Amino acid sequence: MIISVTPVTPNKDDSPEHLPQHLAIIMDGNGRWAKARGQARVQGHRRGVDAARRATTLCGEAGIRYLTLFAFSSENWRRPDEEVHFLTQLLALSLEKELGRLHENGVKLNIIGDPSSFGRKLAKTIDNALEKTSNNTTLTLTIALNYGARQELVSAVRRLAESCVANELSPRAISESDLEGALNTHGLPDPDLLVRTGGEVRLSNFLLWQLAYTELFFSDVLWPDFNEALFWDAIGAYQGRQRRFGQIGEQVDSQFGRR
Ligand code: FPP
């Protein structure tokens, strides 16, 4: 099932008006991919890392400036301990292994969520990767780790309330940009396109504030099978949408170009 997609030939021209500036992905289906092959779930996660590498490369080649991947949700702690442990190790190892290549390709790493609960090894790997890639500008790769949008919003509200108590901010003056500034994603543009693989049609507590006007693309393809064809299907669907941001059609002069 692919929801709400008018098949269009994607325009691969990398001019900004043809491409989403920010692509966010809910990578779903690793476990089912492995099960369908009679393999352990962790094998699906291993192949999921390969798919994340493909997505990063495709974004870099296409000229997309921001890629955000939902790697571990606040709710994923409910998985068996061994799977959580495996995922933590896999993420640390993958980051260590990919860091050189990411850096050479101008990728700036960014983390949202609270990875502190994953232990010292992953925390050290993350700090090192953040520092090494901090001046890169080609593609900002944000990995959501132990991330939940409701938790992010509660923390942001708490931060604003503290500023009010300290008389640095008046409750009446609180604006959308104050709230945005208190989110994990401050400094990032909102996603233009969200892709979810794995057949589920929901947001699962991902970037609830930031997705307010984002175009959504859902696919049955399981994440380890994510490939160039699916990437361009999603971009083509995005290019076929008219984004109105609440206005009526005629006011918006930004129909995406097609080949
Ligand atoms: C989704 O499948 C799996 C995850 C969200 C866990 C972690 C993701 C990866 C290992 C991909 C690589 C990511 C990075 C950033 C290197 P699932 O286990 O929910 O699958 P299921 O719905 O079929 O059970």
Side-chain angles (χ1 to χ4, degrees):
M1 163 197 49
I2 295 182
I3 303 286
S4 151
V5 175
T6 318
V8 278
T9 308
N11 184 337
K12 296 187 177 179
D13 169 1
D14 66 359
S15 56
E17 67 270 23
H18 293 147
L19 283 173
Q21 178 184 208
H22 184 173
L23 169 65
I25 306 183
I26 300 178
M27 308 175 288
D28 198 10
N30 293 351
R32 278 165 287 158
W33 183 93
K35 194 171 169 209
R37 286 160 181 77
Q39 298 174 10
R41 289 178 57 81
V42 295
Q43 279 307 113
H45 294 318
R46 285 204 177 95
R47 297 289 77 81
V49 172
D50 297 338
R53 189 185 304 111
R54 281 196 293 281
T56 309
T57 305
L58 284 163
C59 285
E61 287 172 355
I64 288 173
R65 302 293 310 280
Y66 299 87
L67 171 64
T68 297
L69 300 176
F70 200 7
F72 194 96
S73 78
S74 320
E75 290 72 32
N76 284 159
W77 293 107
R78 296 179 195 147
R79 295 183 179 212
D81 286 352
E82 315 84 73
E83 185 169 337
V84 171
H85 180 69
F86 179 86
L87 279 172
T88 312
Q89 299 287 102
L90 181 66
L91 290 168
L93 277 176
S94 308
L95 256 188
E96 269 168 22
K97 199 171 142 217
E98 300 296 331
L99 181 59
R101 212 171 67 96
L102 290 172
H103 186 49
E104 275 164 28
N105 286 288
V107 177
K108 176 179 180 170
L109 185 75
N110 181 41
I111 301 289
I112 56 171
D114 176 17
S116 62
S117 356
F118 287 117
R120 285 165 55 101
K121 183 175 161 53
L122 184 54
K124 238 179 112 182
T125 308
I126 287 174
D127 285 348
N128 177 36
L130 291 176
E131 203 202 314
K132 187 170 170 122
T133 63
S134 62
N135 294 321
N136 292 340
T137 55
T138 305
L139 170 71
T140 299
L141 171 62
T142 299
I143 301 181
L145 275 180
N146 192 16
Y147 172 86
R150 287 185 171 184
Q151 294 83 337
E152 176 189 37
L153 284 163
V154 168
S155 302
V157 168
R158 220 174 260 151
R159 224 167 286 159
L160 295 180
E162 280 162 6
S163 300
C164 289
V165 169
N167 275 329
E168 293 157 3
L169 186 64
S170 147
R172 282 177 164 274
I174 293 175
S175 64
E176 286 190 12
S177 75
D178 289 325
L179 190 81
E180 262 160 19
L183 295 173
N184 289 178
T185 48
H186 63 89
L188 297 177
D190 289 341
D192 301 292
L193 173 64
L194 171 83
V195 170
R196 179 172 187 147
T197 61
E200 309 291 356
V201 186
R202 54 175 171 257
L203 296 180
S204 298
N205 202 17
F206 188 46
L207 300 176
L208 296 181
W209 170 280
Q210 299 87 340
L211 294 177
Y213 287 103
T214 301
E215 298 298 326
L216 309 178
F217 178 93
F218 298 95
S219 165
D220 273 348
V221 169
L222 302 175
W223 177 246
D225 289 328
F226 178 89
N227 61 13
E228 185 168 1
L230 183 63
F231 174 80
W232 284 110
D233 276 356
I235 303 289
Y238 169 81
Q239 290 169 342
R241 310 271 176 91
Q242 195 185 35
R243 303 186 78 195
R244 288 201 286 272
F245 300 97
Q247 300 170 39
I248 57 168
E250 300 85 65
Q251 284 174 270
V252 177
D253 186 24
S254 66
Q255 186 72 9
F256 302 104
R258 298 181 208 165
R259 218 170 21 194

